[in-house]
Amino acid sequence: MNYKILIIVTSLLSLQVDAQEVLNLKEATIITLENNLNIKIFENFEKISDNNASILNSGYLPQINAGAGLIKSNQNVEIKTPSGLEGSLDNIESDSNSANISLNFTIVDGTGRKFNYRKSKELLNKSKLEVKEVIENTIFQLYTVYFEACRLIEEQNIYKGNLEISKTRLNRKKLELEYGQSTSLEVLNAEVDFKNDSINYLNTISNLSNVKRDLNLIMNVDSEKMYDLVTEVDFLNFDELNDAYKNAQENNTSLKIDDKNIAISKNEMRATKSTYLPTIGLVGSYGWNESINDNPYAFFNKNINQGFSGGINLSWDIFNSGRKIIVNKNAKINYENSKIEKERRINLFFNELNNLYQTHTNNLYIFEVQIKNLETNKLNFERNLEQYKLGQLSSIQFRDAQLKLQRAELQKNSSKYNTKLSELALMKISGQIITKSYK
């Protein structure tokens, strides 16, 4: 026998683990919502969409520009007039100063701004739904890993209890061998069984450590931080399940996103149609200009003008090589595609919903069967244990009863968490995984 395994397992069985922080599902959810990086990224995307949907990005507000200029010059001037007068001036200085402010305000643009603004609002609503969808997916991932860790915790306890039984049997056979009541072959068989049970136990410990690290990764905490998890599981009653099933289409986040895609395509199509209409705008400006010139031969040495100007302009892109026609046709096709995509997604949705509902109801039934099966195997094992202690049952027969009990415990344990995960999948597709409270 590999005595290293015996030493390791014996140490683990007798090890007293320090109390760890208890982490229930509600607390794990809160930590994940606060720390998960993927959620933070999509929340930032939502902020960007919120900025894009602002009135400042709508085109409804006027455009105001201001400008100013200052020009100085120093020149040498030579003058010759038709009358024969000649002369030259050196270092003639001149200044030219200006300032202006202008306003450009689009009054009518063929309803393009209206539908583009609506489109930006729908994009914001879509972004909010996408954040909700990411949260739902993240919470479902969290629950899946959390309950997998719980399953392994209970599996570890099952293997640990089985290992205690095998250890007791091994010690008994060794003692019986000393008194000539057993054979070396029976001791060897007991050692082999103990070794196999030890391997199962050690593998489960390793798997549990890995899954707990996965759990910490989702919560975005220290990967080596260890928690005591709550393995108690409650199931929703049939009224709650049926309510979720009936309202699934209305609450499903993905279908809501499809609705927003249709609305976005519709507004985009309407905004594109507006390009056939003219654009009317107001323009206005105020300007100030000053020129100073110390040239004595100049017509004037100082000139200042200032004032307002304003007007209205119309722009109408009547024909631009047919590009608008193509753009409008493509926008209409995109709108039709968004409706077809919604219909396709609905068909897939109901197919998945019905599959999940049937799977969960089936899992509930299997779980009840596994509970009864475990009770039967426990009674069978207890009777076999009594007979084994009295010497009325062989080691092989006892081992068979032991393995049947272990198999029943593992099947019941797996069924328990498979049922919970199928329930969570049903809650996710029905859009209620966030609103439901899990202890």
Side-chain angles (χ1 to χ4, degrees), residues 132-144 236 241 244-245 247-249 251-255 345 349 352-353 356 420-436 438:
K132 182 174 181 287
E133 187 176 45
V134 170
I135 291 175
E136 288 177 344
N137 292 334
T138 303
I139 288 178
F140 181 71
Q141 182 186 20
L142 170 72
Y143 290 174
T144 300
L236 300 176
L241 292 175
Y245 179 83
N247 299 306
Q249 182 179 3
N251 296 328
N252 181 266
T253 306
S254 295
L255 294 183
R345 294 285 292 272
F349 164 78
E352 184 179 2
L353 175 64
L356 289 173
K420 189 59 184 179
L421 290 178
S422 64
E423 178 190 281
L424 291 171
L426 186 59
M427 291 300 102
K428 178 178 176 293
I429 197 173
S430 65
Q432 297 188 35
I433 195 169
I434 294 177
T435 56
K436 290 295 180 182
Y438 295 95

Side-chain angles (χ1 to χ4, degrees), residues 19 40 59 75 77 87 89 91-92 109 146 157 170 211 220 261-262 265 283 305 311 326 328 332-333 350 361 428 431:
K40 290 183 178 181
Q75 299 175 336
V77 180
L89 297 171
N91 298 321
I92 298 299
D109 72 338
Y146 185 95
N157 293 333
L170 176 59
V211 171
N220 193 28
N261 285 331
I262 293 175
S265 298
V283 293
N305 58 69
I326 299 300
N328 276 274
K332 186 176 181 180
I333 293 172
F350 278 113
T361 53
K428 178 178 176 293

Side-chain angles (χ1 to χ4, degrees), residues 173-191:
K173 287 299 173 183
K174 287 181 178 180
L175 186 61
E176 289 177 352
L177 181 64
E178 292 180 6
Y179 289 94
Q181 297 177 353
S182 183
T183 65
S184 299
L185 180 60
E186 288 187 336
V187 174
L188 181 61
N189 288 335
E191 288 179 346

Side-chain angles (χ1 to χ4, degrees), residues 23-44:
L23 179 71
N24 61 35
L25 200 54
K26 182 178 180 181
E27 292 168 344
T29 303
I30 293 173
I31 294 173
T32 301
L33 292 176
E34 291 177 349
N35 296 342
N36 185 268
L37 299 179
N38 200 31
I39 293 176
K40 290 183 178 181
I41 290 173
F42 275 82
E43 285 176 340
N44 284 335

Side-chain angles (χ1 to χ4, degrees), residues 64 111 132 235 288 306:
I64 300 175
T111 69
K132 182 174 181 287
F235 297 104
W288 173 84
Q306 59 183 338

Side-chain angles (χ1 to χ4, degrees), residues 55-73:
I55 188 68
L56 300 176
N57 193 45
S58 66
Y60 277 109
L61 301 180
Q63 180 180 356
I64 300 175
N65 295 312
L70 172 63
I71 301 175
K72 289 181 174 292
S73 66

Side-chain angles (χ1 to χ4, degrees), residues 103 118 154 250 277 376 379:
L103 179 143
R118 288 183 180 179
E154 296 202 47
E250 179 183 351
L277 302 176
T376 302
L379 292 175

Side-chain angles (χ1 to χ4, degrees), residues 222-399:
D222 183 6
S223 62
E224 298 303 319
K225 186 175 180 62
M226 291 291 109
Y227 298 95
D228 283 333
L229 306 183
V230 179
T231 59
E232 296 179 5
V233 172
D234 295 324
F235 297 104
L236 300 176
N237 58 49
F238 276 100
D239 289 336
E240 293 173 305
L241 292 175
N242 290 330
D243 180 68
Y245 179 83
K246 291 177 182 178
N247 299 306
Q249 182 179 3
E250 179 183 351
N251 296 328
N252 181 266
T253 306
S254 295
L255 294 183
K256 289 182 179 180
I257 291 176
D258 289 335
D259 289 334
K260 294 305 173 185
N261 285 331
I262 293 175
I264 290 167
S265 298
K266 186 175 182 179
N267 283 308
E268 187 172 350
M269 180 182 66
R270 290 178 173 179
T272 305
K273 284 183 179 179
S274 71
T275 57
Y276 288 115
L277 302 176
T279 299
I280 301 174
L282 292 177
V283 293
S285 65
Y286 172 81
W288 173 84
N289 293 279
E290 178 187 56
S291 296
I292 300 175
N293 188 339
D294 61 359
N295 185 350
Y297 298 104
F299 182 71
F300 54 81
N301 295 113
K302 186 175 183 180
N303 179 36
I304 298 176
N305 58 69
Q306 59 183 338
F308 295 92
S309 65
I312 185 170
N313 59 31
L314 181 146
S315 175
W316 196 349
D317 187 3
I318 299 175
F319 186 74
N320 66 343
S321 304
R323 292 176 182 173
K324 286 192 297 184
I325 297 174
I326 299 300
V327 171
N328 276 274
K329 285 183 177 180
N330 290 340
K332 186 176 181 180
I333 293 172
N334 287 333
Y335 175 55
E336 294 299 324
N337 278 343
S338 64
K339 293 192 291 184
I340 294 173
E341 176 65 16
K342 173 65 182 296
E343 184 178 356
R344 186 186 71 85
R345 294 285 292 272
I346 287 177
N347 292 335
L348 293 173
F349 164 78
F350 278 113
N351 182 67
E352 184 179 2
L353 175 64
N354 291 328
N355 288 342
L356 289 173
Y357 185 82
Q358 183 175 353
T359 298
H360 182 57
T361 53
N362 188 54
N363 284 343
L364 285 171
Y365 172 76
I366 293 174
F367 182 53
E368 293 297 327
V369 172
Q370 294 293 355
I371 292 175
K372 294 178 181 178
N373 182 51
L374 177 59
E375 292 174 355
T376 302
N377 277 277
K378 281 183 177 179
L379 292 175
N380 180 63
F381 177 76
E382 289 172 0
R383 286 196 295 266
N384 281 273
L385 180 60
E386 290 176 2
Q387 292 178 348
Y388 177 71
K389 289 179 178 179
L390 296 173
Q392 298 174 357
L393 196 70
S394 68
S395 295
I396 295 177
Q397 291 173 316
F398 177 74
R399 177 64 175 176

